[in-house]
Amino acid sequence: MSKKEMVRVEQLNKSFGKLHVLKDVDLTVDESNVVVLIGASGSGKSTLLRCINFLEMKDDGKIFLEGEQVDKDTHNLNEIRQRVGMVFQHFNLFPHKTVLENVIEAPLMVKKMPKNQAIEEGKALLDKVGLGDKYDVYPSTLSGGQKQRVAIARSLAMKPEVMLFDEPTSALDPELVGEVLATMKELADEGMTMVVVTHEMGFAREVGDWVVYMHDGRIVEYGNPDELFERPKEQRTKEFLSSIL
Amino acid sequence: MSHFFDVFIESYPYFLQGLKITLYLSAASLLIAFVIGLFFAILKISNIKVLGWIADAYIWVIRGTPLIVQIFVLYYGITEIILIDKFWAGAIGLAIHSGAYIAEIIRGSIQSIDKGQMEAGRSLGMTKLQTMRRIILPQAFRRAIPSLGNQFIIGIKDSSLVSFIGAQELFGVSSSLGSNSFDFLTFYSVAAVYYLFIVLILTAIVNRIEKKLARSD
């Protein structure tokens, strides 16, 4: 069964000064799939994610969204970013706004949604991520896990077609990781297309449809979780997996 | 000491007039200074180099010359071209002066906001301008309030220099009264009390705003 292609990158290259961070990266993400990017820090995972929603500008290569090539010269990047949600390692919630205000900000400002509709939808999203009792508190009063769930709700409020997660649990205390992963799993089960950079191999194995191992700016190996974790083909993948498992 | 109180009470109609002008002068100049400061702060953080240079040049000239020189140059410069009254010449002079310091305060506080805030705004599809206005600036202002309050206090005291182009604000009034009676010490001391009073009130206001805004931290 052929699925609809949501994101494709072709021959992506990116350098920071002399540092060549992404080298000829090709990646395709089909609708409703969860692709998990793994690899050591500095391997280019986060940069790849940030190039997909143009928070970093690629040097070279092509990016396709739902089959259409998008680029900064031909498209309004603000419109592209509305279709690609992003969740950050450090949450990046707006500290001067309440939880609900965080969630409704972009629908109000960007989509010009009527306020009562934005509030209704925002509350529904916060209920969904288990924060129905936290509408009016400020982010500083929340735990890390709660903050990240607000960040997920904030991103979902724009009804993105794809969600990017950049190490969403790396800044969390170990006991708070589970609640965020559970929220992400729920999202995946509902059919959200997701690209996730994480060090949580349990999540990669359980929720991921595909796992991509990156090393030194290249995709070394690509496979379904069972294959990649049980029978890695490449020597580098084997070494990486044995170093972390 | 009782002489001081007698003078203080007897002279209050004159000083109230001076106080009024000091307050108007300070309010007008600081309001304009804030707009100037915000404008040059944004020039400085813009990606366009030339705009940054313009802001740098402005700040360099203002910080590098005494306020009294700026007031005189402006007053005699402007009155060459158009007739402008002392009040507005003084207010504009003070505003251009404070604006340079306020620009640096605002620039510093904008740059102290975590860059993840801009990224979060942009990742939601907000434009750079929307993110600046809705996300970055509110946080930056909150962070700038203690320094801005301090700069406002300096601005109020600096307004005394406008008396040198003839404005009858607090310092001007005390100079006039002093030279009429040769009792300079007493009249300048009375002026000092008025300044202390203004600064006391302003400090209380700034503290209150700070506390109110701290509720989300």
Side-chain angles (χ1 to χ4, degrees), chain B residues 12-162:
Chain B
Y12 90 90
Y14 304 102
F15 272 101
L16 280 189
Q17 199 54 37
L19 176 69
K20 203 173 95 182
I21 296 174
T22 292
L23 290 178
Y24 283 159
L25 203 53
S26 305
S29 64
L30 291 175
L31 219 63
I32 303 168
F34 187 79
V35 175
I36 294 176
L38 181 60
F39 177 74
F40 282 98
I42 287 170
L43 288 198
K44 262 200 98 156
I45 58 169
S46 76
N47 292 329
I48 303 161
K49 267 190 183 155
V50 182
L51 298 182
W53 292 339
I54 292 170
D56 283 340
Y58 160 65
I59 291 166
W60 175 66
V61 168
I62 296 302
R63 287 207 296 203
T65 55
L67 172 55
I68 190 74
V69 174
Q70 294 161 16
I71 290 172
F72 278 147
V73 167
L74 190 84
Y75 182 57
Y76 292 110
I78 285 185
T79 47
E80 286 278 306
I81 308 162
I82 49 163
L83 212 57
I84 184 169
D85 72 56
K86 293 162 189 142
F87 178 89
W88 284 108
I92 292 166
L94 288 172
I96 291 174
H97 180 79
S98 297
Y101 292 91
I102 290 174
E104 284 291 67
I105 291 169
I106 294 176
R107 178 194 59 82
S109 58
I110 289 173
Q111 287 177 336
S112 77
I113 303 299
D114 181 62
K115 84 180 203 319
Q117 292 288 307
M118 180 55 87
E119 288 187 349
R122 301 309 302 279
S123 78
L124 291 165
M126 293 168 76
T127 63
K128 199 171 175 182
L129 198 70
Q130 280 175 328
T131 314
M132 201 54 161
R133 191 168 58 81
R134 301 277 306 174
I135 308 301
I136 308 294
L137 286 181
Q139 295 182 62
F141 282 139
R142 185 170 310 189
R143 210 168 278 189
I145 280 172
S147 311
L148 284 176
N150 197 35
Q151 191 57 45
F152 282 10
I153 287 171
I154 293 172
I156 288 168
K157 292 182 294 179
D158 280 351
S159 70
S160 59
L161 292 175
V162 181

Side-chain angles (χ1 to χ4, degrees), chain B residues 157-217:
Chain B
K157 292 182 294 179
D158 280 351
S159 70
S160 59
L161 292 175
V162 181
S163 66
F164 287 99
I165 56 172
Q168 284 297 305
E169 44 62 74
L170 278 177
F171 187 78
V173 167
S174 51
S175 296
S176 306
L177 294 175
S179 47
N180 291 342
S181 61
F182 295 103
D183 191 4
F184 286 107
L185 177 63
T186 309
F187 283 107
Y188 285 139
S189 302
V190 171
V193 170
Y194 280 91
Y195 282 112
L196 281 170
F197 179 70
I198 301 173
V199 170
L200 191 72
I201 303 272
L202 184 68
T203 308
I205 293 172
V206 171
N207 285 344
R208 247 188 105 147
I209 295 173
E210 252 183 273
K211 274 215 185 86
K212 208 175 154 193
L213 291 178
R215 73 195 193 288
S216 65
D217 294 335

Side-chain angles (χ1 to χ4, degrees), chain A residues 191-222:
Chain A
M192 176 61 78
T193 310
M194 292 162 57
V195 186
V196 184
V197 171
T198 188
H199 298 291
E200 296 293 331
M201 295 304 147
F203 177 86
R205 200 179 271 233
E206 191 191 345
V207 183
D209 295 297
W210 300 96
V211 179
V212 175
Y213 171 61
M214 287 185 73
H215 178 80
D216 196 22
R218 289 181 198 282
I219 290 179
V220 174
E221 192 163 350
Y222 184 102

Side-chain angles (χ1 to χ4, degrees), chain A residues 59-84:
Chain A
D59 295 335
D60 205 13
K62 291 176 183 164
I63 297 171
F64 298 84
L65 208 56
E66 286 186 283
E68 181 196 7
Q69 191 182 345
V70 289
D71 211 339
K72 65 177 194 297
D73 303 322
T74 52
H75 287 75
N76 180 344
L77 295 184
N78 298 316
E79 281 166 20
I80 298 302
R81 293 195 190 101
Q82 291 175 44
R83 297 161 60 189
V84 184

Side-chain angles (χ1 to χ4, degrees), chain A residues 26-97:
Chain A
D26 291 312
L27 179 75
T28 304
V29 183
D30 287 337
E31 188 175 26
S32 297
N33 273 1
V34 176
V35 173
V36 179
L37 304 179
I38 63 171
S41 43
S43 57
K45 314 177 298 282
S46 289
T47 306
L48 173 56
L49 217 56
R50 293 163 60 85
C51 282
I52 293 175
N53 75 346
F54 295 90
L55 278 184
E56 290 310 339
M57 296 299 162
K58 63 181 168 58
D59 295 335
D60 205 13
K62 291 176 183 164
I63 297 171
F64 298 84
L65 208 56
E66 286 186 283
E68 181 196 7
Q69 191 182 345
V70 289
D71 211 339
K72 65 177 194 297
D73 303 322
T74 52
H75 287 75
N76 180 344
L77 295 184
N78 298 316
E79 281 166 20
I80 298 302
R81 293 195 190 101
Q82 291 175 44
R83 297 161 60 189
V84 184
M86 177 120 179
V87 172
F88 299 88
Q89 181 177 358
H90 295 289
F91 331 125
N92 298 352
L93 292 179
F94 307 136
H96 60 304
K97 292 185 180 292

